[in-house]
Coordinates of all heavy atoms in Angstrom, one line a residue:
A106 N -65.9 -37.4 48.4 CA -64.8 -36.6 49.0 C -65.2 -35.1 48.9 O -65.8 -34.7 48.0 CB -63.5 -36.8 48.2
G107 N -64.8 -34.4 49.9 CA -65.2 -33.0 50.0 C -64.3 -32.1 49.1 O -63.2 -32.5 48.7
K108 N -64.8 -31.0 48.8 CA -64.1 -30.0 47.9 C -63.6 -28.8 48.7 O -62.7 -28.1 48.2 CB -65.0 -29.5 46.8 CG -65.4 -30.6 45.9 CD -66.3 -30.1 44.8 CE -66.7 -31.3 43.9 NZ -67.6 -30.8 42.8
D109 N -64.0 -28.7 49.9 CA -63.6 -27.6 50.8 C -63.5 -28.1 52.2 O -64.3 -28.9 52.6 CB -64.6 -26.4 50.8 CG -64.8 -25.8 49.4 OD1 -63.9 -25.1 49.0 OD2 -65.8 -26.0 48.8
I110 N -62.5 -27.6 52.9 CA -62.5 -27.9 54.4 C -62.3 -26.5 55.1 O -61.6 -25.6 54.6 CB -61.3 -28.8 54.7 CG1 -60.0 -28.4 54.1 CG2 -61.7 -30.3 54.3 CD1 -58.8 -29.3 54.5
W111 N -63.0 -26.4 56.2 CA -63.1 -25.2 56.9 C -62.8 -25.4 58.4 O -63.1 -26.5 58.9 CB -64.5 -24.5 56.8 CG -64.9 -24.1 55.5 CD1 -65.5 -24.9 54.5 CD2 -64.9 -22.8 54.9 NE1 -65.8 -24.2 53.4 CE2 -65.4 -22.9 53.6 CE3 -64.4 -21.6 55.4 CZ2 -65.5 -21.8 52.8 CZ3 -64.5 -20.5 54.6 CH2 -65.0 -20.6 53.3
F112 N -62.3 -24.4 59.1 CA -62.3 -24.4 60.5 C -62.6 -23.0 61.0 O -61.9 -22.1 60.5 CB -61.0 -25.0 61.1 CG -61.1 -25.1 62.6 CD1 -61.6 -26.2 63.2 CD2 -60.6 -24.0 63.4 CE1 -61.7 -26.3 64.6 CE2 -60.6 -24.1 64.8 CZ -61.2 -25.2 65.4
S113 N -63.5 -22.8 61.9 CA -63.7 -21.5 62.5 C -63.5 -21.6 64.0 O -63.9 -22.6 64.6 CB -65.0 -20.9 62.1 OG -66.1 -21.8 62.6
G114 N -63.0 -20.6 64.5 CA -62.8 -20.6 66.0 C -62.8 -19.1 66.5 O -62.7 -18.2 65.7
L115 N -62.9 -19.0 67.8 CA -62.9 -17.6 68.3 C -62.3 -17.6 69.7 O -62.1 -18.7 70.3 CB -64.4 -17.1 68.5 CG -65.3 -17.9 69.3 CD1 -65.5 -17.2 70.7 CD2 -66.6 -18.1 68.6
T116 N -61.8 -16.5 70.0 CA -61.2 -16.2 71.4 C -62.1 -15.1 71.9 O -62.9 -14.5 71.2 CB -59.8 -15.9 71.3 OG1 -59.6 -14.7 70.5 CG2 -59.0 -17.0 70.6
P117 N -61.8 -14.6 73.1 CA -62.6 -13.5 73.6 C -62.6 -12.2 72.8 O -63.4 -11.4 72.9 CB -62.1 -13.3 75.0 CG -61.6 -14.6 75.4 CD -61.0 -15.2 74.2
D118 N -61.5 -12.1 72.0 CA -61.4 -10.8 71.3 C -61.1 -11.0 69.8 O -60.9 -10.0 69.1 CB -60.3 -9.9 71.9 CG -58.9 -10.5 71.7 OD1 -58.8 -11.7 71.6 OD2 -58.0 -9.7 71.7
A119 N -61.2 -12.2 69.2 CA -61.0 -12.4 67.8 C -61.8 -13.6 67.3 O -62.0 -14.5 68.0 CB -59.5 -12.6 67.6
V120 N -62.1 -13.5 66.0 CA -62.7 -14.6 65.3 C -61.9 -14.8 64.1 O -61.5 -13.9 63.4 CB -64.2 -14.2 64.8 CG1 -64.8 -15.3 64.0 CG2 -65.1 -13.9 66.0
C121 N -61.6 -16.1 63.8 CA -60.8 -16.5 62.6 C -61.4 -17.7 61.9 O -61.8 -18.7 62.6 CB -59.4 -16.7 63.1 SG -58.3 -17.3 61.8
V122 N -61.5 -17.6 60.6 CA -61.9 -18.7 59.8 C -60.8 -19.1 58.8 O -60.3 -18.2 58.2 CB -63.2 -18.4 59.0 CG1 -63.7 -19.5 58.2 CG2 -64.3 -18.0 60.0
V123 N -60.5 -20.4 58.7 CA -59.5 -20.9 57.8 C -60.2 -21.8 56.8 O -61.0 -22.7 57.2 CB -58.4 -21.7 58.6 CG1 -57.3 -22.1 57.7 CG2 -57.9 -20.8 59.8
W124 N -59.8 -21.6 55.5 CA -60.3 -22.4 54.5 C -59.2 -23.1 53.7 O -58.1 -22.6 53.6 CB -61.1 -21.5 53.5 CG -61.5 -22.2 52.2 CD1 -62.6 -23.0 52.0 CD2 -60.7 -22.2 50.9 NE1 -62.6 -23.5 50.7 CE2 -61.5 -23.0 50.0 CE3 -59.5 -21.7 50.5 CZ2 -61.0 -23.2 48.7 CZ3 -59.1 -21.9 49.2 CH2 -59.9 -22.7 48.3
G125 N -59.5 -24.3 53.3 CA -58.6 -25.1 52.4 C -59.4 -25.7 51.3 O -60.5 -26.2 51.5
G126 N -58.8 -25.8 50.1 CA -59.5 -26.4 49.0 C -58.7 -26.1 47.7 O -57.6 -25.7 47.8
N127 N -59.3 -26.5 46.6 CA -58.7 -26.3 45.3 C -59.4 -25.2 44.5 O -60.6 -25.2 44.5 CB -58.7 -27.6 44.5 CG -57.9 -28.7 45.2 OD1 -56.8 -28.5 45.5 ND2 -58.6 -29.8 45.5
D128 N -58.7 -24.4 43.8 CA -59.3 -23.4 42.9 C -60.0 -24.0 41.8 O -60.9 -23.3 41.2 CB -58.2 -22.5 42.4 CG -57.6 -21.6 43.5 OD1 -58.2 -21.4 44.5 OD2 -56.4 -21.2 43.3
D129 N -59.8 -25.2 41.4 CA -60.4 -25.8 40.3 C -61.6 -26.7 40.6 O -62.1 -27.5 39.8 CB -59.4 -26.6 39.4 CG -58.6 -27.6 40.2 OD1 -58.9 -27.8 41.4 OD2 -57.6 -28.1 39.7
N130 N -62.1 -26.6 41.8 CA -63.3 -27.3 42.3 C -63.2 -28.8 42.3 O -64.1 -29.6 42.2 CB -64.5 -26.9 41.5 CG -65.8 -27.1 42.2 OD1 -65.9 -27.1 43.4 ND2 -66.9 -27.4 41.5
L131 N -61.9 -29.3 42.5 CA -61.7 -30.8 42.6 C -61.8 -31.2 44.0 O -61.6 -30.4 44.9 CB -60.3 -31.1 42.0 CG -60.1 -30.9 40.5 CD1 -58.7 -31.2 40.1 CD2 -61.1 -31.7 39.7
A132 N -62.1 -32.5 44.2 CA -62.1 -33.0 45.5 C -60.7 -33.0 46.2 O -59.7 -33.1 45.5 CB -62.6 -34.5 45.5
I133 N -60.7 -32.8 47.5 CA -59.4 -32.8 48.2 C -59.0 -34.3 48.4 O -59.7 -35.1 48.9 CB -59.6 -32.2 49.6 CG1 -60.1 -30.7 49.4 CG2 -58.4 -32.3 50.5 CD1 -60.5 -30.0 50.6
P134 N -57.8 -34.6 48.0 CA -57.3 -36.0 48.1 C -57.0 -36.4 49.5 O -56.8 -35.6 50.4 CB -56.0 -36.0 47.3 CG -55.5 -34.5 47.3 CD -56.8 -33.7 47.4
G135 N -57.1 -37.7 49.8 CA -56.9 -38.2 51.1 C -58.1 -38.7 51.8 O -59.2 -38.5 51.3
H136 N -57.9 -39.4 52.9 CA -59.0 -40.0 53.7 C -59.1 -39.2 55.0 O -58.1 -38.8 55.5 CB -58.8 -41.5 53.9 CG -58.7 -42.3 52.7 ND1 -59.8 -42.6 51.9 CD2 -57.6 -42.8 52.0 CE1 -59.4 -43.3 50.9 NE2 -58.1 -43.5 50.9
N137 N -60.3 -39.0 55.4 CA -60.5 -38.3 56.7 C -59.9 -37.0 56.8 O -59.3 -36.6 57.8 CB -60.0 -39.2 57.9 CG -60.8 -40.5 58.0 OD1 -62.0 -40.6 57.7 ND2 -60.1 -41.6 58.3
V138 N -60.0 -36.3 55.7 CA -59.4 -34.9 55.6 C -60.6 -34.0 56.0 O -61.6 -33.8 55.3 CB -59.0 -34.5 54.2 CG1 -58.5 -33.1 54.1 CG2 -57.9 -35.5 53.8
T139 N -60.5 -33.4 57.2 CA -61.5 -32.6 57.8 C -61.0 -31.3 58.3 O -59.8 -31.1 58.5 CB -62.2 -33.3 58.9 OG1 -61.3 -33.4 60.0 CG2 -62.8 -34.6 58.5
G140 N -61.9 -30.3 58.4 CA -61.4 -29.0 59.0 C -60.9 -29.1 60.4 O -59.9 -28.5 60.8
G141 N -61.5 -30.0 61.2 CA -61.1 -30.2 62.6 C -59.7 -30.9 62.7 O -59.0 -30.7 63.6
G142 N -59.4 -31.7 61.6 CA -58.1 -32.4 61.7 C -57.0 -31.6 61.0 O -55.9 -31.7 61.4
V143 N -57.3 -31.0 59.9 CA -56.2 -30.3 59.1 C -56.2 -28.8 59.4 O -55.2 -28.2 59.8 CB -56.5 -30.6 57.6 CG1 -55.4 -29.8 56.8 CG2 -56.4 -32.1 57.3
M144 N -57.4 -28.1 59.2 CA -57.4 -26.7 59.2 C -57.3 -26.2 60.7 O -56.8 -25.1 60.9 CB -58.7 -26.1 58.6 CG -58.8 -26.6 57.1 SD -57.3 -26.4 56.1 CE -57.2 -24.7 55.9
A145 N -57.7 -27.0 61.6 CA -57.6 -26.5 63.0 C -56.1 -26.3 63.4 O -55.8 -25.4 64.2 CB -58.3 -27.5 64.0
K146 N -55.3 -27.1 62.9 CA -53.8 -27.0 63.2 C -53.3 -25.6 62.6 O -52.5 -24.9 63.3 CB -53.0 -28.1 62.6 CG -53.3 -29.4 63.3 CD -52.6 -30.6 62.6 CE -53.1 -31.9 63.2 NZ -52.5 -33.0 62.5
I147 N -53.8 -25.3 61.4 CA -53.4 -24.0 60.8 C -54.0 -22.9 61.6 O -53.3 -21.8 61.8 CB -53.8 -24.0 59.3 CG1 -53.0 -25.0 58.5 CG2 -53.6 -22.6 58.7 CD1 -53.5 -25.3 57.1
W148 N -55.2 -23.0 62.0 CA -55.9 -22.0 62.8 C -55.1 -21.7 64.1 O -54.8 -20.6 64.4 CB -57.3 -22.4 63.2 CG -58.1 -21.4 64.0 CD1 -58.9 -20.4 63.5 CD2 -58.1 -21.3 65.4 NE1 -59.4 -19.7 64.5 CE2 -59.0 -20.3 65.7 CE3 -57.6 -22.1 66.4 CZ2 -59.3 -19.9 67.0 CZ3 -57.9 -21.7 67.7 CH2 -58.7 -20.6 68.0
R149 N -54.7 -22.8 64.7 CA -53.9 -22.6 66.0 C -52.6 -21.9 65.8 O -52.2 -21.0 66.5 CB -53.7 -24.0 66.6 CG -52.9 -23.9 67.9 CD -52.7 -25.2 68.6 NE -52.0 -25.0 69.8 CZ -51.8 -26.0 70.7 NH1 -52.3 -27.1 70.6 NH2 -51.0 -25.7 71.8
Q150 N -51.9 -22.3 64.7 CA -50.6 -21.7 64.4 C -50.8 -20.2 64.1 O -50.0 -19.4 64.6 CB -49.9 -22.4 63.2 CG -49.5 -23.8 63.5 CD -49.0 -24.5 62.2 OE1 -49.2 -24.0 61.1 NE2 -48.4 -25.7 62.4
F151 N -51.8 -19.9 63.4 CA -52.1 -18.5 63.1 C -52.4 -17.7 64.3 O -51.9 -16.6 64.5 CB -53.3 -18.4 62.1 CG -53.7 -16.9 61.8 CD1 -53.0 -16.1 60.9 CD2 -54.7 -16.4 62.5 CE1 -53.3 -14.8 60.7 CE2 -55.1 -15.0 62.3 CZ -54.4 -14.3 61.4
M152 N -53.3 -18.2 65.2 CA -53.7 -17.5 66.4 C -52.5 -17.4 67.3 O -52.4 -16.3 68.0 CB -54.9 -18.2 67.1 CG -56.2 -18.2 66.2 SD -56.7 -16.6 65.7 CE -57.2 -15.9 67.3
E153 N -51.7 -18.4 67.4 CA -50.5 -18.2 68.3 C -49.6 -17.1 67.8 O -49.1 -16.3 68.6 CB -49.7 -19.5 68.4 CG -50.4 -20.6 69.2 CD -49.7 -21.9 69.2 OE1 -48.8 -22.2 68.3 OE2 -50.1 -22.8 70.0
A154 N -49.4 -17.0 66.5 CA -48.6 -15.9 65.9 C -49.3 -14.6 66.1 O -48.7 -13.6 66.4 CB -48.4 -16.2 64.4
Y155 N -50.6 -14.5 65.9 CA -51.4 -13.3 66.1 C -51.2 -12.8 67.6 O -51.0 -11.6 67.8 CB -52.9 -13.6 65.9 CG -53.8 -12.5 66.2 CD1 -54.1 -11.5 65.3 CD2 -54.5 -12.5 67.4 CE1 -55.0 -10.5 65.6 CE2 -55.4 -11.5 67.7 CZ -55.6 -10.5 66.8 OH -56.5 -9.5 67.1
Y156 N -51.3 -13.7 68.5 CA -51.2 -13.2 69.9 C -49.8 -12.9 70.3 O -49.6 -12.2 71.3 CB -51.9 -14.2 70.9 CG -53.4 -14.0 70.9 CD1 -54.2 -15.0 70.4 CD2 -53.9 -12.8 71.4 CE1 -55.6 -14.8 70.4 CE2 -55.3 -12.6 71.4 CZ -56.1 -13.6 70.9 OH -57.5 -13.4 70.9
K157 N -48.8 -13.3 69.6 CA -47.4 -12.9 69.9 C -47.3 -11.4 69.5 O -46.6 -10.7 70.1 CB -46.4 -13.7 69.1 CG -46.2 -15.1 69.8 CD -45.2 -15.9 69.0 CE -45.0 -17.2 69.7 NZ -44.1 -18.1 68.9
L158 N -48.0 -11.1 68.4 CA -47.9 -9.7 67.9 C -48.9 -8.8 68.6 O -48.7 -7.6 68.7 CB -48.2 -9.6 66.4 CG -47.2 -10.3 65.5 CD1 -47.7 -10.3 64.0 CD2 -45.9 -9.6 65.6
R159 N -50.0 -9.3 69.1 CA -51.1 -8.5 69.7 C -51.5 -9.2 71.0 O -52.6 -9.8 71.1 CB -52.3 -8.4 68.8 CG -53.3 -7.5 69.2 CD -54.5 -7.5 68.2 NE -55.5 -6.5 68.5 CZ -56.5 -6.8 69.3 NH1 -56.7 -8.0 69.8 NH2 -57.4 -5.9 69.6
P160 N -50.7 -9.1 72.1 CA -51.1 -9.8 73.3 C -52.4 -9.3 73.9 O -52.7 -8.1 73.8 CB -49.9 -9.5 74.3 CG -48.8 -9.0 73.4 CD -49.5 -8.4 72.2
A161 N -53.1 -10.2 74.5 CA -54.4 -9.8 75.2 C -54.4 -10.6 76.5 O -54.0 -11.8 76.5 CB -55.6 -10.2 74.3
P162 N -54.8 -10.0 77.5 CA -54.9 -10.7 78.8 C -55.9 -11.8 78.7 O -56.9 -11.7 78.0 CB -55.4 -9.6 79.8 CG -56.0 -8.5 78.9 CD -55.3 -8.6 77.6
P163 N -55.7 -12.9 79.4 CA -56.6 -14.0 79.4 C -58.0 -13.6 79.8 O -58.2 -12.8 80.8 CB -56.1 -15.0 80.4 CG -54.6 -14.6 80.6 CD -54.6 -13.1 80.3
G164 N -59.0 -14.0 79.1 CA -60.4 -13.7 79.4 C -60.7 -12.2 79.1 O -61.7 -11.7 79.6
A165 N -60.0 -11.6 78.2 CA -60.2 -10.2 77.9 C -61.4 -10.0 77.0 O -61.2 -9.9 75.8 CB -59.0 -9.6 77.3
F166 N -62.6 -10.1 77.5 CA -63.8 -10.0 76.7 C -64.4 -8.7 77.1 O -64.7 -8.4 78.3 CB -64.7 -11.1 77.0 CG -66.0 -11.0 76.2 CD1 -66.0 -11.4 74.9 CD2 -67.2 -10.6 76.8 CE1 -67.2 -11.4 74.1 CE2 -68.3 -10.5 76.0 CZ -68.3 -10.9 74.7
L167 N -64.6 -7.8 76.1 CA -65.2 -6.5 76.4 C -66.7 -6.6 76.3 O -67.3 -7.0 75.3 CB -64.7 -5.4 75.5 CG -63.2 -5.2 75.5 CD1 -62.9 -4.2 74.4 CD2 -62.8 -4.7 76.9
E168 N -67.4 -6.4 77.4 CA -68.9 -6.5 77.4 C -69.4 -5.3 76.7 O -69.0 -4.1 76.9 CB -69.4 -6.5 78.8 CG -70.9 -6.6 78.9 CD -71.4 -6.7 80.4 OE1 -70.6 -7.0 81.2 OE2 -72.5 -6.4 80.6
P169 N -70.4 -5.5 75.8 CA -71.0 -4.3 75.1 C -71.6 -3.4 76.1 O -72.2 -3.8 77.1 CB -72.1 -4.9 74.2 CG -71.8 -6.4 74.1 CD -71.0 -6.7 75.4
S170 N -71.4 -2.1 75.9 CA -72.0 -1.1 76.8 C -73.5 -1.0 76.5 O -73.9 -1.2 75.4 CB -71.3 0.3 76.6 OG -71.5 0.8 75.3
R171 N -74.2 -0.7 77.5 CA -75.7 -0.6 77.4 C -76.1 0.8 77.9 O -76.1 1.0 79.1 CB -76.4 -1.7 78.1 CG -76.0 -3.0 77.6 CD -77.0 -4.1 78.2 NE -76.5 -5.4 77.9 CZ -76.6 -6.0 76.7 NH1 -77.2 -5.4 75.7 NH2 -76.1 -7.2 76.5
G172 N -76.3 1.7 77.0 CA -76.7 3.1 77.4 C -78.0 3.1 78.1 O -78.7 2.1 78.1
K173 N -78.4 4.2 78.6 CA -79.6 4.4 79.3 C -80.8 4.1 78.4 O -81.9 3.7 78.9 CB -79.8 5.8 79.9 CG -78.8 6.1 80.9 CD -78.9 7.5 81.4 CE -77.8 7.9 82.4 NZ -77.8 9.3 82.8
S174 N -80.7 4.2 77.1 CA -81.8 3.9 76.2 C -81.9 2.4 76.0 O -82.9 2.0 75.4 CB -81.5 4.6 74.8 OG -80.4 4.1 74.2
G175 N -81.0 1.6 76.5 CA -81.1 0.2 76.3 C -80.5 -0.3 75.0 O -80.6 -1.4 74.7
G176 N -80.0 0.6 74.2 CA -79.4 0.2 72.9 C -78.1 -0.6 73.1 O -77.4 -0.3 74.0
G177 N -77.9 -1.6 72.4 CA -76.9 -2.6 72.6 C -75.5 -2.0 72.5 O -74.7 -2.3 73.3
D178 N -75.2 -1.1 71.6 CA -73.8 -0.6 71.5 C -73.7 0.9 71.5 O -72.8 1.5 71.0 CB -73.1 -1.2 70.2 CG -73.9 -0.9 69.0 OD1 -75.0 -0.3 69.0 OD2 -73.5 -1.3 67.9
T179 N -74.6 1.5 72.2 CA -74.5 3.0 72.4 C -73.8 3.2 73.7 O -74.2 2.8 74.8 CB -75.9 3.6 72.5 OG1 -76.6 3.3 71.3 CG2 -75.8 5.1 72.7
P180 N -72.6 3.9 73.7 CA -71.9 4.2 75.0 C -72.8 5.0 75.9 O -73.6 5.8 75.4 CB -70.7 5.0 74.5 CG -70.5 4.6 73.1 CD -71.9 4.4 72.5
E181 N -72.7 4.8 77.2 CA -73.5 5.5 78.1 C -73.3 7.0 78.0 O -74.3 7.7 78.2 CB -73.2 5.0 79.5 CG -73.7 3.6 79.8 CD -73.5 3.2 81.3 OE1 -73.6 4.1 82.1 OE2 -73.2 2.0 81.5
S182 N -72.2 7.4 77.7 CA -71.9 8.9 77.6 C -72.7 9.5 76.4 O -73.0 10.7 76.4 CB -70.4 9.2 77.4 OG -70.0 8.6 76.2
E183 N -73.1 8.7 75.4 CA -73.9 9.2 74.3 C -75.3 8.9 74.4 O -76.1 9.3 73.5 CB -73.3 8.6 73.0 CG -71.9 8.9 72.7 CD -71.4 8.3 71.4 OE1 -72.2 7.7 70.6 OE2 -70.2 8.3 71.2
A184 N -75.8 8.1 75.3 CA -77.2 7.8 75.5 C -78.0 9.0 75.9 O -77.6 9.8 76.7 CB -77.3 6.6 76.5
S185 N -79.1 9.1 75.3 CA -80.0 10.3 75.7 C -80.8 9.9 76.9 O -81.1 8.8 77.2 CB -80.9 10.6 74.5 OG -81.8 9.6 74.3
D186 N -81.3 11.0 77.6 CA -82.1 10.8 78.8 C -83.6 10.8 78.4 O -84.4 10.7 79.3 CB -81.8 11.9 79.8 CG -80.5 11.7 80.4 OD1 -80.0 10.6 80.6 OD2 -79.9 12.8 80.8
S187 N -83.9 11.0 77.1 CA -85.3 11.1 76.8 C -86.0 9.7 76.6 O -85.5 8.8 76.4 CB -85.5 11.8 75.5 OG -84.4 12.2 74.8

């Protein structure tokens, strides 16, 4: 039996990881207790509450800017011409 169950998920603008387990390092009771079965439900509830407080348009993924220097996260306005 497992001692920890995890679920991680992402949306275009957020990453969330949910953990379940015991502080005393004991096995989690039950059969077929998995992150995808148990923790995924908690993840979904949390993300639904999150998006009620912080709405984001569907598919709102911000592409990293690529300055003239080719640096991954340097805004074009800060990129040097050298």
Side-chain angles (χ1 to χ4, degrees):
K108 296 180 181 179
D109 297 288
I110 50 177
W111 297 83
F112 184 83
S113 60
L115 60 103
T116 64
D118 67 333
V120 175
C121 178
V122 178
V123 182
W124 170 83
N127 296 306
D128 291 337
D129 52 10
N130 203 28
L131 295 175
I133 297 171
H136 298 286
N137 299 322
V138 178
T139 66
V143 176
M144 303 314 288
K146 293 175 187 174
I147 295 170
W148 181 90
R149 181 178 177 170
Q150 291 171 351
F151 175 82
M152 294 306 290
E153 287 175 346
Y155 172 83
Y156 280 113
K157 283 182 183 174
L158 295 174
R159 187 179 184 274
F166 180 80
L167 299 176
E168 183 177 340
S170 63
R171 300 192 190 280
K173 294 177 185 176
S174 65
D178 51 0
T179 303
E181 287 187 35
S182 61
E183 296 178 15
S185 67
D186 291 328
S187 8

